[in-house]
Each structure stands twice: as structure tokens, then as C-alpha cells.
Amino acid sequence: METLQETKEITKEEIKLQEKKKNNIKIYKIYKIFSWDLLFYYAIIYLFLTIEKKITPAQVLQFDAFYILFKFLTQIPSTLIIQKVGKRRSLIIANFILTIHILIIMFSKSFAMLLLSQLLCAFSYVTKATCESDMLYDSLEHGEKRGIQFAKIDGKATSRYYYIDAISSMLSGFLFVINPYIPMLICFIILLFSFVMSTKFEELQKEKGRMQIKEEIKNIRNSFRNILKSKRLKCLLLFNAIFIALLKILQNLRNTVLIEIGMPEQYFGIIFAALGIVTGIATKNQGKIHKKYRNKTLTFLSLPMAISCLLMGVTLLSNFNTNVLIVLILALSAVQYIMKGPYYTLIKQYFNNFTNSEKRVKISTANNIIENAIASILVFGASYILEIIPTAYTLIIIGCIFTAGFVLLLDYMRSRVGLKPEEYSRKEIL
């Protein structure tokens, strides 16, 4: 009788767990669309900071560099909080803090206040990066197709985000001309919606109880050491850090270029809307890209990105008339957005291969630490270059450095990443 009763209880627990997983998948599909990144923000934030807050283009790049540095500094505190309160509660806290950071940007009176907003934003996105994709991955059934299923759901939601981002970008440009604070206010409202949506997730992992800080730090250090024994993961961690650094640098330099070629403020939104649509289409086809290029996918995504940066600088120095110049700059920007879209989903898939839930959190932590440490150094370096030489030469120098860096790294990765499971040694399978 006891065995029968225990079986019934286990069955009830299993049914309840399956219901939680289904709920998380359902919520994630909507939540990711609105919360993956800031809507009504990127198309106008450069203009908002330079026009409303009166800071220089180099300071805008420093604004981003400090954000990346703060992500590095808040990684371990964020991980400790996740270990203590669980992924669901951590996600709720992160989304709430993110809404506050937008208010600080809106009401800031100094560069120091702007940096405080980036500290809060950094903590929030470090936490979200660790928890969000794992909330979905934990909810999917174990099996060979788990990674593919994750990429399909996450990629579809991400592509829809880009379509909405395209609409928001187009609107934000015109709204900025009416009043620069309107797009920021709408961004705040959407973040508030994301915060409410995050409360709908179900926690799948048991709480760990009282947190022993020294013990947790020791566990993180040991896990970090074990992860770095994997040549595959070391290569992916380094590659990702360099790729993200280039994305962040180009994010600001594109805006500087558009202003230098005389692009009116109201057209910024239309441009980024079109680029957002391009990114959404590319993201939706990430599965086809991976299937076609396989172990050369990262080469396909990285080299055009770096070379387009170099060509953008060369284009600015050329004696083209304004219309030709605009077309070429926008075409090169489109190349960068096409490469960016699929990258985020595919790199998550590559990191998550051969892992379990616990290992994924540790890998995510290691990735965030390395990514933010390296990327912050590179972005600060780019801001220094931009401060002393013109934008065109900055683009050429950065394009050359990153192209050479990717070529060398990809050559080193050839025998270490993208192999068949049976070709990896035991220590590569975490």
C-alpha cells in the first residue's frame, strides 16, 4: 500500500512539474519578445545622450564601456543571488531594477548619474542572461533534440522581437523629434510589462536555503577552473567576448557615422526599423544558417562583421556624393545586422551542448565574466581611439584589428570546436 501511495505522490509531483514546464514555455514565447532587449531605446539613445544630456560621442562609447565593465563586476554577486533565491525570483528582481534604470537616465543631471543607471542595467542583464534562456532550457524534455528545440523556440521569439523592435525604432525617431522623452517613457512602460510577465514563471529548481558566501565563491571558482579545462569552451568564451566587443563598438560608431553624413534625426528610426526587419529575418533563419555552414558558422558570422567595419571607414574617406555614401553605409550596416541576429541564439546553443542545468549556470557565469572583462577593455580602447582621431580612421583601425583577430582565433579553433560528439575527449563533455 505504501509503495502504491508513494507512486501516486510521485505521479502527482511529476504531473505538476510538467504543468510548470508547459507554463514556462508558454510564458517564455511572449516574454522574450518584449524583454530580450530595450525597445524604443537604441534608435534614439545616442541622440538622447548627445543632444539632451550634452555628452560627447567618445563619452557615449565610455557609457557603453562602463556598462560592460559593470557587468563584469556584478557577475559574481548576481550568481550568488541566483544561487540563493532561485532563477525565477532573480529574474523578477532584475526586471524591476531595469525599470528603475530607465528613470535614472531620464532624470539624470550628470555623467555620474548616467553611470549609476548603467550599473543597475548591468546587474539586471547579467542576471537575465544567466536565468532567462535557462528557464526555457530547464522546461524542455531531455533528449538529443533538446538543443534544436531550444534554438527553434528561442530563435522564433527573438526574430519576433526584432520585428517589434523595427516598428518601435521607426516610431521612436519621429517621437523623439516631437519630444525626446516620449520614447524613453514608452521604453519604461514596456519594461514594467516585462516585470509583470516575469512573475508568471514557475520555479523548477529547489531553493538552496541559507547562502554561505565563502562556500558559493569557492564553488564558482572550482566550476570556473573545470570549465576552463575544456578547450572547446575556452575557444567559445574568447570568441564570444571579441564578437560582443565588436558589436558594442559598432553600435555607437554607426550612429556617429550617420550624424557625420548629415542624416536627419527623424530618419534614424526608419533606418533602424529597416535594419531590425533584416535582423529578424536573419534570426528566423538561424537554423538554416547552422545547417548550411556547420562548423564554419562562426566564420560566416564574424568575418563579414569585421570587414564591414573596415569598409565603412574606407567609404567615409572616399569622394562619393552624399546619396551614394548613404547607400553604401546603410548596406554595410545591413551586413552587420544580418550577422548579429542569428549569432545570439546560435552561440547559446553551442555553449549549452553537452551540459546539464547546473553546468549551464556555471558556463553562463564564466561566459559573462570573460565576455565583460575582455569587451570592456576593447570598448574603452575604441573610445580612446575615437577621442584622438576621426571616425573614419577609427573604423579602419578597429576593422583591421578585429579582422586579424578573428582570422587567427578561427584558425586555432578549427581542431577544437565544431567536432562530432565522438571526436571530443571526456573532459570536453561537461
Side-chain angles (χ1 to χ4, degrees), residues 81-290:
I81 290 172
I82 294 168
Q83 296 284 358
K84 167 61 179 175
V85 305
K87 296 170 189 173
R88 176 183 173 272
R89 290 180 184 174
S90 298
L91 202 55
I92 293 170
I93 292 168
N95 279 294
F96 178 75
I97 292 175
L98 205 55
T99 62
I100 303 300
H101 113 276
I102 284 291
L103 293 178
I104 293 176
I105 293 177
M106 291 171 67
F107 294 104
S108 65
K109 299 294 183 182
S110 66
F111 191 62
M113 284 292 289
L114 289 172
L115 294 185
L116 173 62
S117 75
Q118 293 309 282
L119 175 60
L120 297 179
C121 185
F123 171 80
S124 299
Y125 272 110
V126 163
T127 305
K128 282 160 66 71
T130 304
C131 297
E132 281 180 340
S133 61
D134 225 35
M135 289 292 288
L136 173 62
Y137 217 86
D138 285 343
S139 300
L140 298 173
E141 295 302 319
H142 291 263
E144 292 181 2
K145 295 184 178 180
R146 194 183 191 189
I148 296 172
Q149 192 178 1
F150 166 83
K152 184 178 180 180
I153 295 171
D154 188 74
K156 190 174 182 180
T158 304
S159 69
R160 287 178 177 175
Y161 159 83
Y162 281 122
Y163 297 139
I164 293 177
D165 183 48
I167 297 170
S168 75
S169 294
M170 183 170 61
L171 292 174
S172 62
F174 291 102
L175 292 172
F176 181 87
V177 174
I178 297 170
N179 188 316
Y181 286 87
I182 294 176
M184 299 296 286
L185 180 61
I186 297 174
C187 180
F188 167 76
I189 292 169
I190 293 172
L191 288 175
L192 205 56
F193 172 74
S194 296
F195 162 68
V196 173
M197 285 291 293
S198 66
T199 64
K200 307 295 183 182
F201 281 115
E202 301 275 4
E203 183 65 75
L204 300 178
Q205 306 294 328
K206 293 181 180 180
E207 294 181 20
K208 291 196 171 183
R210 188 175 179 182
M211 177 175 58
Q212 300 294 332
I213 295 177
K214 288 184 179 180
E215 185 179 341
E216 291 295 344
I217 291 176
K218 183 180 178 182
N219 289 337
I220 292 170
R221 187 169 62 247
N222 291 337
S223 298
F224 200 94
R225 192 181 295 118
N226 291 333
I227 288 166
L228 292 182
K229 288 179 181 178
S230 167
K231 293 179 181 178
R232 180 184 74 89
L233 283 175
K234 277 196 292 188
C235 289
L236 288 174
L237 291 167
L238 181 58
F239 180 92
N240 182 62
I242 296 172
F243 194 94
I244 295 299
L246 182 57
L247 284 179
K248 290 295 181 182
I249 292 167
L250 287 172
Q251 182 178 300
N252 282 291
L253 291 181
R254 274 193 301 266
N255 287 291
T256 307
V257 169
L258 290 175
I259 288 175
E260 287 191 6
I261 63 177
M263 186 65 63
E265 295 166 8
Q266 61 268 29
Y267 293 141
F268 269 64
I270 297 174
I271 290 168
F272 286 107
L275 292 173
I277 292 171
V278 168
T279 309
I281 294 170
T283 304
K284 190 175 181 180
N285 289 286
Q286 51 82 25
K288 293 179 181 178
I289 291 171
H290 171 71

Side-chain angles (χ1 to χ4, degrees), residues 330 365 409:
L330 293 181
T365 301
L409 182 56

